[in-house]
Amino acid sequence: MLSILLPIYNFNCLPLVTDLLQQCEAAQIIFEIIALEDASTQYLAQNSRIKKLSKHITYERLSQNIGRSSIRNLLAEKAKYEYLLFLDCDSAVVNNQYIQNYIKALNSNQLLYGGRVYRAQAPENKQLILHWKFGKYREQIPAIVRAKQPYHSFMTNNFVIPKTIFQQIQFNEKLTQYGHEDTLFGMELKNRQIPILHLDNSLEHIGLETTNVFLNKTKQALENLAILHQAGSRIDTKLLRVYQQLEHWKLKKIAQLILRVLRPILKRLLHLKNPSSFIFDLYKLDFFIEKSDLV
């Protein structure tokens, strides 16, 4: 029936796996939970307890880090059931019908995406606010809105896919660092005309990161995007559309000069208590233009 696949990297996943196990047992379904540590160095004591929770759980720690795409492909290889539920490790179950909602919607010809939510109130630590604000206002989208652009709104944090479909696509292992593996996967789904059913069956993203860490990961994602764009991948993102408009109107060099002057100011503004999403967009555009010229 259902293989729940959890890649872990430096995060305590014992509460998440406990909740998933309880819901699967309550639903009385055939299931397995496979958790793979991608050479983590933190929370090993907590996560090692995962395998003791149930005979339906497999837990393993890899000796070398293989990256976000490769570990997901490896999890799928190990799965023995026909439906694969992929989760991010820094998630929390916020709906006691989470598993049941997916079971009701299973279909051998389509992918199910449940969405992502963030806590209603901003964190007290101002260094976490940029990540929270970006997630709250850019990623927390109800299903009825996501369904209008089903492939553009897809993320890999919380989805169910038939194993037969996943085996046709898989994650691109050329992307070894953080970022845009979900964009590329969504593009492949669109190219193959595999439908996505968007559901309001969210997990909460609890792994907020400090501004410096979040900006560094954003840069990694933008490097991936630049590589994919220069390689001719037909990816559609808001940032790419702005970049292409600047190229079309021959304004890219002017924008680059202005943004380069503003760069230290933009970074300083992103560390304020109430950082602006617009400033964050300018920061990303500046970095993407620079990286695109180097690729």
mmCIF file of all heavy atoms in Angstrom, residues 169-191:
data_model
loop_
_atom_site.group_PDB
_atom_site.id
_atom_site.type_symbol
_atom_site.label_atom_id
_atom_site.label_comp_id
_atom_site.label_asym_id
_atom_site.label_seq_id
_atom_site.Cartn_x
_atom_site.Cartn_y
_atom_site.Cartn_z
ATOM 1 N N ILE A 169 10.620 8.965 -13.788
ATOM 2 C CA ILE A 169 11.170 10.326 -13.683
ATOM 3 C C ILE A 169 12.407 10.371 -12.795
ATOM 4 O O ILE A 169 13.505 10.672 -13.253
ATOM 5 C CB ILE A 169 10.095 11.298 -13.134
ATOM 6 C CG1 ILE A 169 8.844 11.264 -14.012
ATOM 7 C CG2 ILE A 169 10.660 12.714 -13.039
ATOM 8 C CD1 ILE A 169 7.706 12.082 -13.462
ATOM 9 N N GLN A 170 12.239 10.067 -11.516
ATOM 10 C CA GLN A 170 13.264 10.170 -10.485
ATOM 11 C C GLN A 170 13.785 11.604 -10.365
ATOM 12 O O GLN A 170 13.454 12.484 -11.156
ATOM 13 C CB GLN A 170 14.403 9.187 -10.753
ATOM 14 C CG GLN A 170 13.956 7.721 -10.805
ATOM 15 C CD GLN A 170 15.108 6.760 -10.758
ATOM 16 O OE1 GLN A 170 16.191 7.034 -11.268
ATOM 17 N NE2 GLN A 170 14.899 5.614 -10.124
ATOM 18 N N PHE A 171 14.602 11.808 -9.332
ATOM 19 C CA PHE A 171 15.206 13.119 -9.123
ATOM 20 C C PHE A 171 16.539 13.199 -9.862
ATOM 21 O O PHE A 171 17.270 12.220 -9.951
ATOM 22 C CB PHE A 171 15.415 13.378 -7.627
ATOM 23 C CG PHE A 171 14.151 13.686 -6.889
ATOM 24 C CD1 PHE A 171 13.475 12.693 -6.190
ATOM 25 C CD2 PHE A 171 13.618 14.966 -6.898
ATOM 26 C CE1 PHE A 171 12.304 12.974 -5.511
ATOM 27 C CE2 PHE A 171 12.441 15.259 -6.237
ATOM 28 C CZ PHE A 171 11.782 14.255 -5.532
ATOM 29 N N ASN A 172 16.825 14.383 -10.385
ATOM 30 C CA ASN A 172 18.042 14.594 -11.156
ATOM 31 C C ASN A 172 19.246 14.647 -10.220
ATOM 32 O O ASN A 172 19.421 15.607 -9.463
ATOM 33 C CB ASN A 172 17.931 15.901 -11.950
ATOM 34 C CG ASN A 172 19.064 16.081 -12.936
ATOM 35 O OD1 ASN A 172 20.178 15.623 -12.708
ATOM 36 N ND2 ASN A 172 18.791 16.740 -14.035
ATOM 37 N N GLU A 173 20.089 13.630 -10.279
ATOM 38 C CA GLU A 173 21.217 13.530 -9.355
ATOM 39 C C GLU A 173 22.382 14.435 -9.737
ATOM 40 O O GLU A 173 23.377 14.507 -9.014
ATOM 41 C CB GLU A 173 21.670 12.070 -9.251
ATOM 42 C CG GLU A 173 20.581 11.180 -8.655
ATOM 43 C CD GLU A 173 21.040 9.764 -8.366
ATOM 44 O OE1 GLU A 173 22.257 9.492 -8.506
ATOM 45 O OE2 GLU A 173 20.198 8.936 -7.982
ATOM 46 N N LYS A 174 22.267 15.134 -10.853
ATOM 47 C CA LYS A 174 23.287 16.124 -11.203
ATOM 48 C C LYS A 174 23.205 17.336 -10.283
ATOM 49 O O LYS A 174 24.176 18.079 -10.139
ATOM 50 C CB LYS A 174 23.131 16.554 -12.662
ATOM 51 C CG LYS A 174 23.449 15.447 -13.663
ATOM 52 C CD LYS A 174 23.266 15.931 -15.092
ATOM 53 C CE LYS A 174 23.561 14.816 -16.086
ATOM 54 N NZ LYS A 174 23.351 15.258 -17.480
ATOM 55 N N LEU A 175 22.028 17.543 -9.672
ATOM 56 C CA LEU A 175 21.881 18.624 -8.700
ATOM 57 C C LEU A 175 22.309 18.086 -7.341
ATOM 58 O O LEU A 175 21.549 17.415 -6.654
ATOM 59 C CB LEU A 175 20.421 19.105 -8.648
ATOM 60 C CG LEU A 175 19.851 19.701 -9.939
ATOM 61 C CD1 LEU A 175 18.420 20.138 -9.734
ATOM 62 C CD2 LEU A 175 20.694 20.877 -10.409
ATOM 63 N N THR A 176 23.535 18.364 -6.962
ATOM 64 C CA THR A 176 24.074 17.795 -5.735
ATOM 65 C C THR A 176 23.886 18.699 -4.528
ATOM 66 O O THR A 176 23.932 18.236 -3.389
ATOM 67 C CB THR A 176 25.577 17.490 -5.901
ATOM 68 O OG1 THR A 176 26.258 18.698 -6.278
ATOM 69 C CG2 THR A 176 25.793 16.437 -6.968
ATOM 70 N N GLN A 177 23.683 20.002 -4.751
ATOM 71 C CA GLN A 177 23.492 20.899 -3.629
ATOM 72 C C GLN A 177 22.020 21.303 -3.536
ATOM 73 O O GLN A 177 21.199 20.928 -4.360
ATOM 74 C CB GLN A 177 24.378 22.138 -3.756
ATOM 75 C CG GLN A 177 24.070 23.018 -4.946
ATOM 76 C CD GLN A 177 25.020 24.200 -5.038
ATOM 77 O OE1 GLN A 177 26.094 24.225 -4.455
ATOM 78 N NE2 GLN A 177 24.646 25.217 -5.794
ATOM 79 N N TYR A 178 21.703 22.079 -2.512
ATOM 80 C CA TYR A 178 20.332 22.460 -2.213
ATOM 81 C C TYR A 178 19.711 23.299 -3.334
ATOM 82 O O TYR A 178 20.341 24.189 -3.871
ATOM 83 C CB TYR A 178 20.320 23.269 -0.901
ATOM 84 C CG TYR A 178 18.989 23.863 -0.553
ATOM 85 C CD1 TYR A 178 18.070 23.154 0.201
ATOM 86 C CD2 TYR A 178 18.650 25.145 -0.974
ATOM 87 C CE1 TYR A 178 16.836 23.701 0.540
ATOM 88 C CE2 TYR A 178 17.424 25.704 -0.639
ATOM 89 C CZ TYR A 178 16.524 24.970 0.110
ATOM 90 O OH TYR A 178 15.314 25.511 0.426
ATOM 91 N N GLY A 179 18.441 22.989 -3.680
ATOM 92 C CA GLY A 179 17.667 23.918 -4.467
ATOM 93 C C GLY A 179 17.242 23.508 -5.850
ATOM 94 O O GLY A 179 18.030 23.028 -6.654
ATOM 95 N N HIS A 180 15.942 23.679 -6.115
ATOM 96 C CA HIS A 180 15.302 23.548 -7.427
ATOM 97 C C HIS A 180 15.211 22.111 -7.947
ATOM 98 O O HIS A 180 14.848 21.909 -9.101
ATOM 99 C CB HIS A 180 15.962 24.464 -8.465
ATOM 100 C CG HIS A 180 15.569 25.895 -8.296
ATOM 101 N ND1 HIS A 180 14.309 26.365 -8.566
ATOM 102 C CD2 HIS A 180 16.269 26.954 -7.820
ATOM 103 C CE1 HIS A 180 14.240 27.654 -8.296
ATOM 104 N NE2 HIS A 180 15.414 28.034 -7.833
ATOM 105 N N GLU A 181 15.485 21.121 -7.102
ATOM 106 C CA GLU A 181 15.185 19.763 -7.538
ATOM 107 C C GLU A 181 13.675 19.581 -7.683
ATOM 108 O O GLU A 181 13.208 18.828 -8.537
ATOM 109 C CB GLU A 181 15.773 18.722 -6.569
ATOM 110 C CG GLU A 181 15.252 18.774 -5.152
ATOM 111 C CD GLU A 181 15.970 19.788 -4.282
ATOM 112 O OE1 GLU A 181 16.955 20.393 -4.720
ATOM 113 O OE2 GLU A 181 15.517 19.977 -3.141
ATOM 114 N N ASP A 182 12.892 20.314 -6.873
ATOM 115 C CA ASP A 182 11.436 20.238 -7.001
ATOM 116 C C ASP A 182 10.964 20.920 -8.292
ATOM 117 O O ASP A 182 10.040 20.444 -8.958
ATOM 118 C CB ASP A 182 10.738 20.846 -5.790
ATOM 119 C CG ASP A 182 11.288 22.203 -5.386
ATOM 120 O OD1 ASP A 182 12.220 22.702 -6.047
ATOM 121 O OD2 ASP A 182 10.789 22.764 -4.404
ATOM 122 N N THR A 183 11.603 22.026 -8.664
ATOM 123 C CA THR A 183 11.260 22.718 -9.914
ATOM 124 C C THR A 183 11.481 21.800 -11.111
ATOM 125 O O THR A 183 10.629 21.695 -12.006
ATOM 126 C CB THR A 183 12.108 23.991 -10.082
ATOM 127 O OG1 THR A 183 11.989 24.803 -8.916
ATOM 128 C CG2 THR A 183 11.659 24.787 -11.291
ATOM 129 N N LEU A 184 12.619 21.133 -11.120
ATOM 130 C CA LEU A 184 12.954 20.234 -12.223
ATOM 131 C C LEU A 184 12.028 19.027 -12.254
ATOM 132 O O LEU A 184 11.582 18.594 -13.322
ATOM 133 C CB LEU A 184 14.406 19.783 -12.084
ATOM 134 C CG LEU A 184 15.097 19.219 -13.333
ATOM 135 C CD1 LEU A 184 15.026 20.204 -14.486
ATOM 136 C CD2 LEU A 184 16.544 18.875 -13.026
ATOM 137 N N PHE A 185 11.705 18.501 -11.084
ATOM 138 C CA PHE A 185 10.795 17.355 -10.998
ATOM 139 C C PHE A 185 9.401 17.752 -11.498
ATOM 140 O O PHE A 185 8.759 17.014 -12.246
ATOM 141 C CB PHE A 185 10.726 16.861 -9.551
ATOM 142 C CG PHE A 185 10.136 15.491 -9.392
ATOM 143 C CD1 PHE A 185 10.922 14.359 -9.520
ATOM 144 C CD2 PHE A 185 8.794 15.324 -9.099
ATOM 145 C CE1 PHE A 185 10.387 13.087 -9.365
ATOM 146 C CE2 PHE A 185 8.243 14.069 -8.941
ATOM 147 C CZ PHE A 185 9.045 12.944 -9.075
ATOM 148 N N GLY A 186 8.943 18.931 -11.091
ATOM 149 C CA GLY A 186 7.646 19.421 -11.552
ATOM 150 C C GLY A 186 7.608 19.619 -13.054
ATOM 151 O O GLY A 186 6.592 19.352 -13.708
ATOM 152 N N MET A 187 8.720 20.081 -13.630
ATOM 153 C CA MET A 187 8.797 20.260 -15.075
ATOM 154 C C MET A 187 8.669 18.916 -15.793
ATOM 155 O O MET A 187 7.993 18.804 -16.827
ATOM 156 C CB MET A 187 10.118 20.935 -15.440
ATOM 157 C CG MET A 187 10.259 21.265 -16.920
ATOM 158 S SD MET A 187 11.903 21.959 -17.295
ATOM 159 C CE MET A 187 12.922 20.483 -17.143
ATOM 160 N N GLU A 188 9.306 17.877 -15.236
ATOM 161 C CA GLU A 188 9.210 16.548 -15.833
ATOM 162 C C GLU A 188 7.781 16.010 -15.762
ATOM 163 O O GLU A 188 7.293 15.377 -16.698
ATOM 164 C CB GLU A 188 10.170 15.580 -15.132
ATOM 165 C CG GLU A 188 11.619 15.772 -15.511
ATOM 166 C CD GLU A 188 11.864 15.525 -16.993
ATOM 167 O OE1 GLU A 188 11.308 14.561 -17.547
ATOM 168 O OE2 GLU A 188 12.600 16.318 -17.610
ATOM 169 N N LEU A 189 7.115 16.267 -14.652
ATOM 170 C CA LEU A 189 5.708 15.858 -14.534
ATOM 171 C C LEU A 189 4.854 16.537 -15.609
ATOM 172 O O LEU A 189 4.006 15.908 -16.238
ATOM 173 C CB LEU A 189 5.171 16.223 -13.146
ATOM 174 C CG LEU A 189 5.753 15.466 -11.950
ATOM 175 C CD1 LEU A 189 5.300 16.118 -10.645
ATOM 176 C CD2 LEU A 189 5.322 14.001 -11.975
ATOM 177 N N LYS A 190 5.102 17.821 -15.801
ATOM 178 C CA LYS A 190 4.357 18.570 -16.814
ATOM 179 C C LYS A 190 4.649 18.046 -18.207
ATOM 180 O O LYS A 190 3.721 17.859 -19.019
ATOM 181 C CB LYS A 190 4.711 20.057 -16.714
ATOM 182 C CG LYS A 190 3.914 20.937 -17.681
ATOM 183 C CD LYS A 190 4.275 22.407 -17.472
ATOM 184 C CE LYS A 190 3.454 23.293 -18.409
ATOM 185 N NZ LYS A 190 3.786 24.732 -18.207
ATOM 186 N N ASN A 191 5.912 17.807 -18.515
ATOM 187 C CA ASN A 191 6.290 17.308 -19.839
ATOM 188 C C ASN A 191 5.644 15.964 -20.145
ATOM 189 O O ASN A 191 5.300 15.676 -21.300
ATOM 190 C CB ASN A 191 7.813 17.188 -19.948
ATOM 191 C CG ASN A 191 8.506 18.534 -19.960
ATOM 192 O OD1 ASN A 191 7.880 19.564 -20.225
ATOM 193 N ND2 ASN A 191 9.796 18.552 -19.670
#
